Short mmCIF file of all heavy atoms in Angstrom, two decimals:
data_model
loop_
_atom_site.label_atom_id
_atom_site.label_comp_id
_atom_site.label_asym_id
_atom_site.label_seq_id
_atom_site.Cartn_x
_atom_site.Cartn_y
_atom_site.Cartn_z
N HIS A 38 -8.78 -16.33 -15.45
CA HIS A 38 -7.60 -16.85 -16.11
C HIS A 38 -6.34 -16.11 -15.70
O HIS A 38 -6.36 -15.24 -14.81
CB HIS A 38 -7.78 -16.81 -17.63
CG HIS A 38 -8.10 -15.44 -18.15
ND1 HIS A 38 -7.20 -14.43 -18.22
CD2 HIS A 38 -9.27 -14.93 -18.63
CE1 HIS A 38 -7.77 -13.35 -18.71
NE2 HIS A 38 -9.03 -13.63 -18.98
N GLY A 71 -5.78 -8.62 -19.16
CA GLY A 71 -6.19 -9.17 -20.44
C GLY A 71 -7.10 -8.27 -21.24
O GLY A 71 -7.53 -7.20 -20.77
N PHE A 105 -8.99 -2.24 -12.12
CA PHE A 105 -8.50 -2.67 -10.81
C PHE A 105 -9.69 -2.90 -9.90
O PHE A 105 -10.74 -2.30 -10.05
CB PHE A 105 -7.60 -1.60 -10.18
CG PHE A 105 -6.34 -1.29 -10.95
CD1 PHE A 105 -6.37 -0.36 -11.98
CD2 PHE A 105 -5.17 -1.94 -10.68
CE1 PHE A 105 -5.22 -0.06 -12.70
CE2 PHE A 105 -4.01 -1.65 -11.37
CZ PHE A 105 -4.05 -0.72 -12.40
N SER A 130 3.97 -9.80 9.33
CA SER A 130 5.22 -10.53 9.53
C SER A 130 5.59 -11.37 8.30
O SER A 130 6.72 -11.86 8.20
CB SER A 130 5.11 -11.43 10.76
OG SER A 130 4.04 -12.35 10.63
N THR A 273 12.55 19.04 20.38
CA THR A 273 12.46 20.39 20.90
C THR A 273 13.58 20.62 21.91
O THR A 273 13.78 19.81 22.82
CB THR A 273 11.10 20.64 21.59
OG1 THR A 273 10.07 20.43 20.63
CG2 THR A 273 11.01 22.08 22.10
#
Side-chain angles (χ1 to χ4, degrees):
H38 55 73
F105 298 86
S130 58
T273 301

